[in-house]
Amino acid sequence: MIAFSAAVEPLRMANFVTGKNLYRWTALSIDGEPVASSNGLSITPDLEISAIDRCEGVFVCSGVEIYDVDIAPYSNPIKRFVNMNVPLGALCTGAYILARIGLLNGYRSTIHWENLASLREEFPGIIVSNELFEIDRDRYVAGGGTAPLDMMLHLISQQHGADLAVKISDQFTCDRIRGRHDRQRMPLQQRLGSRQPKLIEAVSLMEANLEEPMSLDELSSHVGISRRQLERVFQKYLQCVPTRYYLELRLQRARQLLLQTSMSIVDVAYACGFVSAPHFSKCYRDCFGIPPRDERRLRDAAHSAAGPSLGASALGST
């Protein structure tokens, strides 16, 4: 709901601030029926998606549990817009729908940060970034939360000038308009300040080497301090030893892959730098209190109990 609203509201405010009808939008669903959001509120569409035969852009918006949605009903209706040379966009996890249909191959894309790992693993043909939004030729993709607001302000600035985008931002009491190269999550450097460059560099190396973990000696050598100094700075600012921090990074990635993909547990283990499934299972259980196999079973049971979900809506903009 927040991603959907963050895409629509800047367009509405552009019309309000200028007193002109700069933008028009239509809410669509596959069958014309209301689409429930995860907070229990529903979006009532204006039309079913097949009723639209002309528009300047279509944005697919979706939320949680997107991995269990049956993509088949969405494929042909969305591909029809490609055949009409209509630019496509995605909000929050809508990128996953476009990826499943094969409409993001060769493009730069992003998605909500919780889903980045699974998108990278499942779709190697997509150039996945963790930035707020990506605009690549005729694809417009924004991550979750309020990222669509920033993307729409960027587009409004391009089409009608930066002054209008600033006025809209002021109306929403946004302290600044974030750019496309802003990250979705607050970097460690912002949390700790700029006084610990060695620590920030070490963590960046860890995050970039989850599948083939570096040794503590390799890390300390790359950042230019001794192993003992590295241990002290981790303990002081992150309250844990480097090996523990590194392990938890890998386990968090593993949990995302377990819950968001159909990868086997063995493949998840290897993708996160574990040399064997038993070792991975032990570390996972120690960290999360449940073995990975049971985590996967609970996910599957919860999805079965919840039943099928429509999972996505579309916003056509003119």
Side-chain angles (χ1 to χ4, degrees):
M1 180 63 78
I2 194 170
F4 186 90
S5 300
V8 173
E9 284 299 295
L11 307 180
R12 179 189 69 82
M13 190 57 70
N15 294 350
F16 176 80
V17 168
T18 62
K20 299 177 182 178
N21 193 27
L22 298 179
Y23 295 99
R24 291 180 296 143
W25 55 92
T26 301
L28 311 169
S29 69
I30 290 296
D31 53 8
E33 294 298 315
V35 180
S37 66
S38 54
N39 65 10
L41 301 179
S42 294
I43 295 292
T44 301
D46 301 293
L47 298 167
E48 62 180 78
I49 196 167
S50 62
I52 290 288
D53 57 10
R54 185 181 65 85
C55 62
E56 294 182 12
V58 173
F59 293 84
V60 179
C61 181
S62 60
V64 297
E65 310 297 349
I66 191 62
Y67 299 93
D68 294 318
V69 172
D70 179 12
I71 299 298
Y74 302 95
S75 182
N76 288 335
I78 294 176
K79 284 181 177 178
R80 184 170 67 94
F81 291 108
V82 176
N83 296 333
M84 295 162 56
N85 295 317
V86 173
L88 293 180
L91 312 174
C92 197
T93 57
Y96 187 78
I97 292 180
L98 295 187
R100 286 276 302 275
I101 299 172
L103 299 178
L104 287 180
N105 288 331
Y107 285 90
R108 287 186 63 84
S109 181
T110 188
I111 198 169
H112 188 278
W113 60 265
E114 285 189 324
N115 309 97
L116 285 168
S118 54
L119 192 70
R120 287 192 179 106
E121 288 289 338
E122 194 165 347
F123 303 101
I126 300 174
I127 306 164
V128 181
S129 82
N130 61 351
E131 296 179 355
L132 276 178
F133 60 90
E134 288 286 354
I135 299 176
D136 185 358
R137 291 160 286 170
D138 55 352
R139 297 291 183 270
Y140 301 79
V141 182
T146 58
L149 170 66
D150 298 285
M151 182 172 72
M152 290 303 183
L153 288 174
H154 176 82
L155 294 175
I156 290 169
S157 179
Q158 285 188 325
Q159 294 167 0
H160 300 287
D163 286 347
L164 177 57
V166 170
K167 289 177 181 177
I168 296 169
S169 181
D170 285 343
Q171 288 288 332
F172 294 148
T173 64
C174 296
D175 59 352
R176 75 180 183 96
I177 301 175
R178 297 177 295 178
R180 62 188 296 183
H181 298 302
D182 277 277
R183 299 297 179 89
Q184 291 190 43
R185 305 183 74 186
M186 181 181 290
L188 187 64
Q189 183 172 356
Q190 287 180 246
R191 302 205 303 265
L192 299 179
S194 58
R195 294 174 297 172
Q196 297 302 320
K198 299 297 185 182
L199 174 59
I200 293 165
E201 186 180 354
V203 170
S204 297
L205 283 169
M206 290 177 175
E207 291 174 339
N209 294 275
L210 297 180
E211 187 168 354
E212 297 182 7
M214 301 173 67
S215 69
L216 197 52
D217 288 332
E218 288 175 315
L219 283 169
S220 58
S221 175
H222 274 81
V223 300
I225 60 176
S226 70
R227 174 175 175 152
R228 181 59 183 153
Q229 286 176 302
L230 188 63
E231 290 173 337
R232 280 200 297 265
V233 78
F234 264 84
Q235 192 65 55
K236 181 176 181 179
Y237 293 99
L238 298 177
Q239 293 76 52
C240 68
V241 296
T243 50
R244 181 64 191 179
Y245 189 89
Y246 206 172
L247 176 62
E248 289 179 357
L249 282 178
R250 292 158 54 209
L251 289 170
Q252 289 291 345
R253 172 66 58 82
R255 190 166 194 265
Q256 291 174 348
L257 295 178
L258 275 175
L259 296 178
Q260 298 173 10
T261 75
S262 58
M263 293 172 63
S264 70
I265 292 175
V266 171
D267 286 343
V268 169
Y270 292 154
C272 297
F274 293 91
V275 296
S276 71
H279 176 59
F280 167 60
S281 295
K282 180 182 183 304
C283 293
Y284 195 96
R285 184 177 61 250
D286 291 344
C287 182
F288 298 111
I290 183 173
R293 191 174 302 278
D294 289 350
E295 183 91 91
R296 178 68 64 78
R297 286 173 178 164
L298 285 174
R299 181 205 67 171
D300 293 342
H303 293 169
S304 297
S309 170
L310 186 59
S313 60
L315 176 68
S317 177
T318 60

